[in-house]
Amino acid sequence: MKIAVIVPAYNEEKSIADVVKDVNFIAQENSLHIDVIVINDYSGDTTSEIISRLNCVALNLPINLGIGGAVQTGFKYALENGYDCAIQIDGDGQHPANEIPKLVNACIQNKLDVVIGSRFISNEGFQSSAIRRFGINYFKRLIAFLVGVSINDSTSGYRLINRKAMEIVNEYYPDEYPEPEAIILYSLYKLKIGEVSVTMKERQGGVSSIGKSASVYYMFKVTLAILFTFIRIKFKK
Amino acid sequence: MVRIQIVAITASILFLLYIARLIIKGKLREEYSIVWIVCTVVLILFSFWREGLEIIAHTLGVFEAPNLVFTGAIFAVFIYLLHLSVVVSKLHAQNKQLAQDIALLKEKMEKK
């Protein structure tokens, strides 16, 4: 199985080298066929120089697209180059590479199309702030109400998708805060989604794409996006 | 002709000339200039034909003719702003597509 590990990086000069090395190390240790694909989202720092020296595929975007556009670039690369699945992990070191085999195994054993690495199944490791947990709970209910799938950690960016899902996100992937909306997308296309418990760390460097004052905007924007995506796909069928 | 008419007509014509200049210099695309030209022509028309405004306002049941002007103008501005948001959204999508293709192509070239 050919696996692409997709790492979106925006000003991650402090952490990106370790992330790439960790993934490559885990790949060797578990004898998995993994290529790391780093998408440099027009960083202003030395991210581009650093990744050009690392053992990875470096995709340099000519303008800043934001997390969704950057991740989608990685999915497009994986689809074009015949990878069987793509695993998205953060460039800031929040997602430890040693959980990758767990995601891959869940995909193979349970025949899943999408595997989400969730913080809230065994409640171990970094659990994030109270306001974020409130938001996650809210999205859990909204998603369950709309498509009847219960996802404990819908905002987790640590996830694996197979080629079936890649073909969907090749066509459309949200720009901002894509994670909860993508779940709606996958389940409306009848993909099998599963969760595995992973332990996350606090970020090693960089800043979150969601600031405190932005949380209200986040919830409002994602709710709107979820509803419109839901309507759009329902009516297309 | 009343003084305000002369002022309004002169201003409108100057505006029209400025739009023409922008188009000639390639700073404004024709499709986006149409709405401005039409609006200016309407302004010029009613600058000459002042009773016309009263007649139309009366037919529509508007008591004060100037209110019709304001309502019409605000409505037109809203619609045009919405149109511009649509244009920007489309550009945004195209921009994203181009950026992604460039990144993928650059990688392909460097590999060779």
Side-chain angles (χ1 to χ4, degrees), chain B residues 25-91:
Chain B
K25 285 198 152 186
K27 285 184 180 169
L28 179 66
R29 292 177 61 88
E30 287 85 348
E31 56 258 47
Y32 299 118
S33 70
I34 292 168
V35 64
W36 297 115
I37 293 171
V38 170
C39 286
T40 321
V41 169
V42 169
L43 278 181
I44 294 174
L45 177 74
F46 284 109
S47 304
F48 279 112
W49 183 42
R50 291 176 73 192
E51 309 81 51
L53 196 61
E54 296 284 347
I55 295 168
I56 293 170
H58 188 76
T59 337
L60 290 173
V62 180
F63 288 113
E64 297 283 338
N67 282 346
L68 181 67
V69 178
F70 290 126
T71 314
I74 290 171
F75 184 69
V77 168
F78 275 177
I79 297 289
Y80 195 60
L81 279 178
L82 183 65
H83 168 69
L84 287 183
S85 302
V86 172
V87 171
V88 170
S89 302
K90 189 176 138 199
L91 283 177

Side-chain angles (χ1 to χ4, degrees), chain A residues 91-108:
Chain A
D92 59 15
Q94 264 198 99
H95 302 153
N98 55 20
E99 305 276 19
I100 288 175
K102 221 192 242 176
L103 266 73
V104 176
N105 286 338
C107 168
I108 297 170

Side-chain angles (χ1 to χ4, degrees), chain A residues 169-185:
Chain A
V169 296
N170 182 41
E171 291 299 316
Y172 170 76
Y173 197 67
D175 282 335
E176 277 185 312
Y177 322 130
E179 286 85 10
E181 196 186 335
I183 293 175
I184 294 281
L185 205 62

Side-chain angles (χ1 to χ4, degrees), chain A residues 31-201:
Chain A
S31 51
L32 289 166
H33 181 337
I34 289 182
D35 290 323
V36 184
I37 290 134
V38 181
I39 300 99
N40 172 25
D41 195 7
Y42 198 59
S43 299
D45 62 3
T46 57
T47 302
S48 129
E49 291 159 43
I50 294 170
I51 59 173
S52 68
R53 285 196 297 266
L54 294 170
N55 178 19
C56 68
V57 174
L59 298 176
N60 288 293
L61 287 167
I63 50 171
N64 183 264
L65 289 186
I67 179 80
V71 171
Q72 192 189 29
T73 313
F75 290 147
K76 284 185 178 203
Y77 181 90
L79 189 67
E80 241 177 62
N81 292 281
Y83 288 91
D84 297 298
C85 67
I87 299 171
Q88 176 195 339
I89 75 171
D90 276 1
D92 59 15
Q94 264 198 99
H95 302 153
N98 55 20
E99 305 276 19
I100 288 175
K102 221 192 242 176
L103 266 73
V104 176
N105 286 338
C107 168
I108 297 170
Q109 280 164 10
N110 305 331
K111 295 203 170 52
L112 295 172
D113 299 311
V114 177
V115 186
I116 296 167
S118 173
R119 271 163 290 192
F120 304 114
I121 292 180
S122 60
N123 291 327
E124 272 171 33
F126 176 57
Q127 291 289 310
S128 89
S129 61
I131 185 154
R132 181 144 183 187
R133 280 203 304 274
F134 170 79
I136 287 165
N137 223 332
Y138 161 74
F139 285 125
K140 181 181 168 181
R141 286 191 195 151
L142 184 65
I143 291 168
F145 173 71
L146 287 175
V147 294
V149 184
S150 179
I151 304 294
N152 289 302
D153 196 357
S154 61
T155 61
S156 163
Y158 199 4
R159 43 179 75 177
L160 175 151
I161 67 171
N162 68 1
R163 283 190 76 79
K164 244 168 143 183
M166 273 186 241
E167 267 159 29
I168 293 165
V169 296
N170 182 41
E171 291 299 316
Y172 170 76
Y173 197 67
D175 282 335
E176 277 185 312
Y177 322 130
E179 286 85 10
E181 196 186 335
I183 293 175
I184 294 281
L185 205 62
Y186 298 140
S187 44
L188 285 176
Y189 279 103
K190 305 259 179 294
L191 297 188
K192 271 185 78 182
I193 307 172
E195 270 184 298
V196 293
S197 163
V198 298
T199 312
M200 288 193 196
K201 290 185 280 194

